[in-house]
Amino acid sequence: AQSVAQPEDQVNVAEGNPLTVKCTYSVSGNPYLFWYVQYPNRGLQFLLKYITGDNLVKGSYGFEAEFNKSQTSFHLKKPSALVSDSALYFCAVKQRGSYIPTFGRGTSLIVHP
Amino acid sequence: EAQVTQNPRYLITVTGKKLTVTCSQNMNHEYMSWYRQDPGLGLRQIYYSMNVEVTDKGDVPEGYKVSRKEKRNFPLILESPSPNQTSLYFCASSSGTGPTYEQYFGPGTRLTVT
């Protein structure tokens, strides 16, 4: 079985500060990990994914994520937050042979001016 | 413009009145799926399709039907809606069927069943 956890319902950060949105996962075998962002009244947009290779993955809008196999984590990061980054962020995982992704509950990121 | 479209965007209906939410993608994607989004539960997959005439259940299929007669369309059917199906629904597609492919989402359909 596969599962994913986003331990924080909400993350608050000041504009210009670094941000981290946490995600941990559980799968059988190697994971395929994804981050999506949802702006108000919009569908989810793909940000980045980890399939294999370099543990640091770079994605859209200056976001990056670090895959840590020993800690089974895939935290989303950005060096300098923007007010426009305020949105709902979802982590998702799939394992080999799975056609159904499992999404986390989402983390609301609020960037204060 | 490459996109996934859904109609309607908002729908209020009554218990038991059959409804269909349409989904269409113009990217020639093989894989399409339906999700519902509920507060505190994230997204849960209802059904998915790996190609024309190939559909399978996701995590929460009860009360829903789908069909995939054409590659671009994947309608979601609620034959007898109930209030517990009040939710935000998303259609999504991806270019491949394997686990490494990301998905492209439609704008969502907010359904209220009274």
mmCIF file of all heavy atoms in Angstrom, chain A residues 17-36:
data_model
loop_
_atom_site.group_PDB
_atom_site.id
_atom_site.type_symbol
_atom_site.label_atom_id
_atom_site.label_comp_id
_atom_site.label_asym_id
_atom_site.label_seq_id
_atom_site.Cartn_x
_atom_site.Cartn_y
_atom_site.Cartn_z
ATOM 1 N N ASN A 17 11.426 35.346 2.805
ATOM 2 C CA ASN A 17 12.038 34.278 3.610
ATOM 3 C C ASN A 17 11.951 32.945 2.885
ATOM 4 O O ASN A 17 11.086 32.758 2.021
ATOM 5 C CB ASN A 17 11.333 34.169 4.962
ATOM 6 C CG ASN A 17 11.750 35.271 5.922
ATOM 7 O OD1 ASN A 17 12.574 36.130 5.577
ATOM 8 N ND2 ASN A 17 11.186 35.260 7.118
ATOM 9 N N PRO A 18 12.821 32.011 3.249
ATOM 10 C CA PRO A 18 12.707 30.677 2.643
ATOM 11 C C PRO A 18 11.473 29.945 3.162
ATOM 12 O O PRO A 18 11.024 30.191 4.290
ATOM 13 C CB PRO A 18 13.992 29.979 3.091
ATOM 14 C CG PRO A 18 14.428 30.719 4.315
ATOM 15 C CD PRO A 18 13.973 32.128 4.144
ATOM 16 N N LEU A 19 10.941 29.071 2.338
ATOM 17 C CA LEU A 19 9.784 28.299 2.762
ATOM 18 C C LEU A 19 10.040 26.811 2.570
ATOM 19 O O LEU A 19 10.795 26.396 1.674
ATOM 20 C CB LEU A 19 8.529 28.721 1.987
ATOM 21 C CG LEU A 19 8.433 28.390 0.499
ATOM 22 C CD1 LEU A 19 7.824 27.001 0.276
ATOM 23 C CD2 LEU A 19 7.583 29.424 -0.229
ATOM 24 N N THR A 20 9.399 26.029 3.435
ATOM 25 C CA THR A 20 9.437 24.571 3.329
ATOM 26 C C THR A 20 8.045 24.039 3.587
ATOM 27 O O THR A 20 7.411 24.417 4.583
ATOM 28 C CB THR A 20 10.417 23.947 4.339
ATOM 29 O OG1 THR A 20 11.735 24.418 4.075
ATOM 30 C CG2 THR A 20 10.394 22.427 4.233
ATOM 31 N N VAL A 21 7.575 23.166 2.708
ATOM 32 C CA VAL A 21 6.317 22.457 2.900
ATOM 33 C C VAL A 21 6.662 20.979 2.964
ATOM 34 O O VAL A 21 7.262 20.435 2.035
ATOM 35 C CB VAL A 21 5.315 22.746 1.769
ATOM 36 C CG1 VAL A 21 3.995 22.026 2.035
ATOM 37 C CG2 VAL A 21 5.086 24.245 1.618
ATOM 38 N N LYS A 22 6.261 20.330 4.054
ATOM 39 C CA LYS A 22 6.742 18.981 4.332
ATOM 40 C C LYS A 22 5.847 17.893 3.748
ATOM 41 O O LYS A 22 4.621 18.043 3.670
ATOM 42 C CB LYS A 22 6.883 18.787 5.840
ATOM 43 C CG LYS A 22 7.923 19.680 6.479
ATOM 44 C CD LYS A 22 8.000 19.454 7.978
ATOM 45 C CE LYS A 22 9.049 20.365 8.593
ATOM 46 N NZ LYS A 22 9.110 20.210 10.058
ATOM 47 N N CYS A 23 6.502 16.786 3.362
ATOM 48 C CA CYS A 23 5.790 15.619 2.839
ATOM 49 C C CYS A 23 6.586 14.379 3.196
ATOM 50 O O CYS A 23 7.796 14.325 2.966
ATOM 51 C CB CYS A 23 5.634 15.729 1.329
ATOM 52 S SG CYS A 23 4.980 14.249 0.521
ATOM 53 N N THR A 24 5.918 13.392 3.748
ATOM 54 C CA THR A 24 6.542 12.088 3.965
ATOM 55 C C THR A 24 5.669 11.030 3.306
ATOM 56 O O THR A 24 4.471 11.222 3.127
ATOM 57 C CB THR A 24 6.708 11.768 5.464
ATOM 58 O OG1 THR A 24 5.424 11.801 6.087
ATOM 59 C CG2 THR A 24 7.639 12.766 6.127
ATOM 60 N N TYR A 25 6.278 9.905 2.971
ATOM 61 C CA TYR A 25 5.561 8.909 2.194
ATOM 62 C C TYR A 25 5.867 7.506 2.690
ATOM 63 O O TYR A 25 6.833 7.284 3.431
ATOM 64 C CB TYR A 25 5.949 9.020 0.714
ATOM 65 C CG TYR A 25 7.380 8.649 0.473
ATOM 66 C CD1 TYR A 25 7.762 7.333 0.205
ATOM 67 C CD2 TYR A 25 8.389 9.613 0.558
ATOM 68 C CE1 TYR A 25 9.086 6.993 0.028
ATOM 69 C CE2 TYR A 25 9.714 9.281 0.380
ATOM 70 C CZ TYR A 25 10.056 7.964 0.120
ATOM 71 O OH TYR A 25 11.370 7.634 -0.043
ATOM 72 N N SER A 26 5.046 6.570 2.238
ATOM 73 C CA SER A 26 5.285 5.158 2.500
ATOM 74 C C SER A 26 4.859 4.379 1.268
ATOM 75 O O SER A 26 3.726 4.508 0.795
ATOM 76 C CB SER A 26 4.479 4.689 3.719
ATOM 77 O OG SER A 26 4.605 3.299 3.904
ATOM 78 N N VAL A 27 5.782 3.609 0.706
ATOM 79 C CA VAL A 27 5.493 2.774 -0.463
ATOM 80 C C VAL A 27 6.260 1.469 -0.351
ATOM 81 O O VAL A 27 7.178 1.334 0.452
ATOM 82 C CB VAL A 27 5.899 3.460 -1.793
ATOM 83 C CG1 VAL A 27 5.128 4.731 -2.018
ATOM 84 C CG2 VAL A 27 7.396 3.722 -1.836
ATOM 85 N N SER A 28 5.886 0.540 -1.200
ATOM 86 C CA SER A 28 6.660 -0.677 -1.368
ATOM 87 C C SER A 28 7.609 -0.449 -2.535
ATOM 88 O O SER A 28 7.169 -0.168 -3.644
ATOM 89 C CB SER A 28 5.737 -1.862 -1.662
ATOM 90 O OG SER A 28 4.823 -2.065 -0.608
ATOM 91 N N GLY A 29 8.865 -0.519 -2.305
ATOM 92 C CA GLY A 29 9.832 -0.286 -3.361
ATOM 93 C C GLY A 29 10.113 1.193 -3.559
ATOM 94 O O GLY A 29 9.939 2.005 -2.651
ATOM 95 N N ASN A 30 10.550 1.525 -4.755
ATOM 96 C CA ASN A 30 10.914 2.911 -5.042
ATOM 97 C C ASN A 30 9.677 3.777 -5.287
ATOM 98 O O ASN A 30 8.741 3.351 -5.949
ATOM 99 C CB ASN A 30 11.818 2.965 -6.266
ATOM 100 C CG ASN A 30 13.168 2.336 -5.998
ATOM 101 O OD1 ASN A 30 13.693 2.424 -4.894
ATOM 102 N ND2 ASN A 30 13.716 1.686 -6.997
ATOM 103 N N PRO A 31 9.714 5.001 -4.761
ATOM 104 C CA PRO A 31 8.561 5.887 -4.931
ATOM 105 C C PRO A 31 8.708 6.791 -6.150
ATOM 106 O O PRO A 31 9.822 7.084 -6.604
ATOM 107 C CB PRO A 31 8.612 6.746 -3.667
ATOM 108 C CG PRO A 31 10.084 6.894 -3.426
ATOM 109 C CD PRO A 31 10.726 5.584 -3.871
ATOM 110 N N TYR A 32 7.563 7.217 -6.660
ATOM 111 C CA TYR A 32 7.502 8.284 -7.650
ATOM 112 C C TYR A 32 6.712 9.403 -6.973
ATOM 113 O O TYR A 32 5.560 9.202 -6.586
ATOM 114 C CB TYR A 32 6.812 7.811 -8.925
ATOM 115 C CG TYR A 32 7.479 6.589 -9.523
ATOM 116 C CD1 TYR A 32 6.896 5.333 -9.423
ATOM 117 C CD2 TYR A 32 8.716 6.702 -10.150
ATOM 118 C CE1 TYR A 32 7.512 4.214 -9.952
ATOM 119 C CE2 TYR A 32 9.340 5.584 -10.683
ATOM 120 C CZ TYR A 32 8.730 4.334 -10.583
ATOM 121 O OH TYR A 32 9.354 3.238 -11.085
ATOM 122 N N LEU A 33 7.343 10.561 -6.829
ATOM 123 C CA LEU A 33 6.801 11.619 -5.979
ATOM 124 C C LEU A 33 6.523 12.877 -6.784
ATOM 125 O O LEU A 33 7.298 13.228 -7.682
ATOM 126 C CB LEU A 33 7.796 11.927 -4.859
ATOM 127 C CG LEU A 33 7.988 10.778 -3.871
ATOM 128 C CD1 LEU A 33 9.359 10.844 -3.226
ATOM 129 C CD2 LEU A 33 6.893 10.800 -2.813
ATOM 130 N N PHE A 34 5.456 13.547 -6.433
ATOM 131 C CA PHE A 34 4.993 14.715 -7.183
ATOM 132 C C PHE A 34 4.564 15.822 -6.215
ATOM 133 O O PHE A 34 4.065 15.547 -5.130
ATOM 134 C CB PHE A 34 3.782 14.358 -8.058
ATOM 135 C CG PHE A 34 4.023 13.219 -9.019
ATOM 136 C CD1 PHE A 34 3.975 11.906 -8.588
ATOM 137 C CD2 PHE A 34 4.278 13.479 -10.352
ATOM 138 C CE1 PHE A 34 4.190 10.856 -9.475
ATOM 139 C CE2 PHE A 34 4.492 12.440 -11.248
ATOM 140 C CZ PHE A 34 4.448 11.128 -10.807
ATOM 141 N N TRP A 35 4.731 17.062 -6.665
ATOM 142 C CA TRP A 35 4.131 18.201 -5.992
ATOM 143 C C TRP A 35 3.243 18.944 -6.995
ATOM 144 O O TRP A 35 3.634 19.167 -8.145
ATOM 145 C CB TRP A 35 5.187 19.165 -5.465
ATOM 146 C CG TRP A 35 5.726 18.810 -4.116
ATOM 147 C CD1 TRP A 35 6.927 18.242 -3.823
ATOM 148 C CD2 TRP A 35 5.086 19.014 -2.858
ATOM 149 N NE1 TRP A 35 7.062 18.074 -2.472
ATOM 150 C CE2 TRP A 35 5.946 18.540 -1.856
ATOM 151 C CE3 TRP A 35 3.845 19.564 -2.467
ATOM 152 C CZ2 TRP A 35 5.627 18.596 -0.496
ATOM 153 C CZ3 TRP A 35 3.528 19.616 -1.130
ATOM 154 C CH2 TRP A 35 4.414 19.133 -0.162
ATOM 155 N N TYR A 36 2.056 19.320 -6.474
ATOM 156 C CA TYR A 36 1.109 20.110 -7.254
ATOM 157 C C TYR A 36 0.710 21.333 -6.437
ATOM 158 O O TYR A 36 0.719 21.294 -5.205
ATOM 159 C CB TYR A 36 -0.157 19.310 -7.569
ATOM 160 C CG TYR A 36 0.036 18.154 -8.518
ATOM 161 C CD1 TYR A 36 0.438 16.906 -8.051
ATOM 162 C CD2 TYR A 36 -0.207 18.302 -9.884
ATOM 163 C CE1 TYR A 36 0.602 15.836 -8.921
ATOM 164 C CE2 TYR A 36 -0.048 17.240 -10.760
ATOM 165 C CZ TYR A 36 0.356 16.015 -10.271
ATOM 166 O OH TYR A 36 0.517 14.962 -11.145
#
